[in-house]
Amino acid sequence: MTERRLLVDSDVFVLLAASGSLLRAAELLGFSQDQLRRLDALTHMLRESKRVQKKYSQEIRDRAGGVAHAVSPIIERPADDDRLQLLLSIKGIDEGEALLYGLLAESASCWLTSGDKTSMRALVGQDALQPVRQLIAGRVICLESILKMLVQTDGVAAVAQAWLPLKDSYKSLSVIFSEVNCNDQKQCLECLDSILNDLKTTLGSDFLFLP
């Protein structure tokens, strides 16, 4: 990949698509729809995965599936198979995240948005993966960073209205968009900053893209 791309992991894709926020988030991050890429397995996962069926309602899966057909799948594999196999060998990093991290490490023009904190912690916690961490640092965008940008730009009321219906699928949403926070945008942003600061402590101050 030599052109600028935003790689979107599957769980974040589902949430962004179901909330109607995917293209808005991409715009705020400086990407067009043509520059978005999703995992090829997403559409199959939405139809067949028991984990996904348990986590997301049929309505959410249907909305995400409709959006997925308008976004190009990732068909590339990382050129460095040894690095890919190393990523796959680490507990906490699944096949999809290994592919995404592998591609991210090979192209400075790629960015990744991911909600998989388990894989992030697994990556930064392994000595063998420190070269990968150095290559991708600053180009990993977590969901809370996106939510912060959305709240700053579109206002807490509009964002909460779009995202609260998904609170059972992403537990932090109930905290971020509590009744108190929905009535006080500054407090909502402080809540998001608190979450991001905790992640900085865990992952290192340079790992995540922070708005």
Side-chain angles (χ1 to χ4, degrees):
M1 293 185 180
T2 56
E3 298 182 34
R4 199 162 181 264
R5 294 283 184 262
L6 178 61
L7 313 179
V8 186
D9 90 343
S10 292
D11 282 317
V12 164
F13 190 102
V14 171
L15 293 170
L16 288 170
S19 67
S21 305
L22 180 64
L23 297 185
R24 179 59 169 154
E27 177 189 9
L28 292 176
L29 291 165
F31 294 89
S32 66
Q33 181 174 340
D34 290 343
Q35 293 174 310
L36 298 178
R37 293 293 183 271
R38 60 167 176 83
L39 287 170
D40 191 35
L42 174 62
T43 51
H44 176 79
M45 181 189 81
L46 289 168
R47 293 192 308 268
E48 305 295 339
S49 169
K50 298 298 184 184
R51 179 191 72 83
V52 170
Q53 290 174 12
K54 183 177 180 180
K55 185 173 183 179
Y56 302 112
S57 69
Q58 185 67 55
E59 181 182 1
I60 290 173
R61 299 198 308 273
D62 287 345
R63 292 182 69 180
V67 176
H69 289 295
V71 175
S72 298
I74 297 168
I75 57 175
E76 301 90 344
R77 282 181 62 85
D80 189 335
D81 192 62
D82 289 340
R83 179 189 288 146
L84 178 61
Q85 294 307 315
L86 176 59
L87 286 161
L88 286 168
S89 73
I90 303 301
K91 182 179 180 180
I93 300 179
D94 64 23
E95 184 176 354
E97 292 292 334
L99 175 68
L100 293 169
Y101 286 140
L103 292 171
L104 195 63
E106 290 183 352
S107 175
S109 62
C110 282
W111 293 63
L112 168 66
T113 179
S114 173
D116 192 338
K117 310 298 195 310
T118 299
S119 72
M120 294 180 195
R121 294 185 183 100
L123 189 151
V124 302
Q126 291 289 327
D127 289 341
L129 291 179
Q130 292 313 297
V132 178
R133 186 199 182 286
Q134 292 173 11
L135 286 169
I136 71 176
R139 290 184 288 120
V140 179
I141 308 163
C142 67
L143 182 58
E144 288 77 10
S145 287
I146 292 174
L147 290 172
K148 180 179 178 180
M149 295 176 73
L150 288 170
V151 170
Q152 287 175 323
T153 306
D154 298 338
V156 66
V159 180
Q161 184 177 15
W163 283 85
L164 273 175
L166 306 176
K167 65 181 184 300
D168 291 337
S169 301
Y170 194 79
K171 300 303 182 184
S172 296
L173 293 173
S174 295
V175 177
I176 295 167
F177 297 117
S178 68
E179 184 176 355
V180 172
N181 288 351
C182 285
N183 291 315
D184 187 337
Q185 181 162 311
K186 180 180 178 182
Q187 188 158 322
C188 181
L189 290 170
E190 288 175 352
C191 178
L192 284 162
D193 281 336
S194 177
I195 295 171
L196 291 169
N197 285 334
D198 286 345
L199 290 171
K200 282 170 61 178
T201 299
T202 302
L203 303 173
S205 61
D206 64 335
F207 184 72
L208 293 174
F209 164 82
L210 297 171

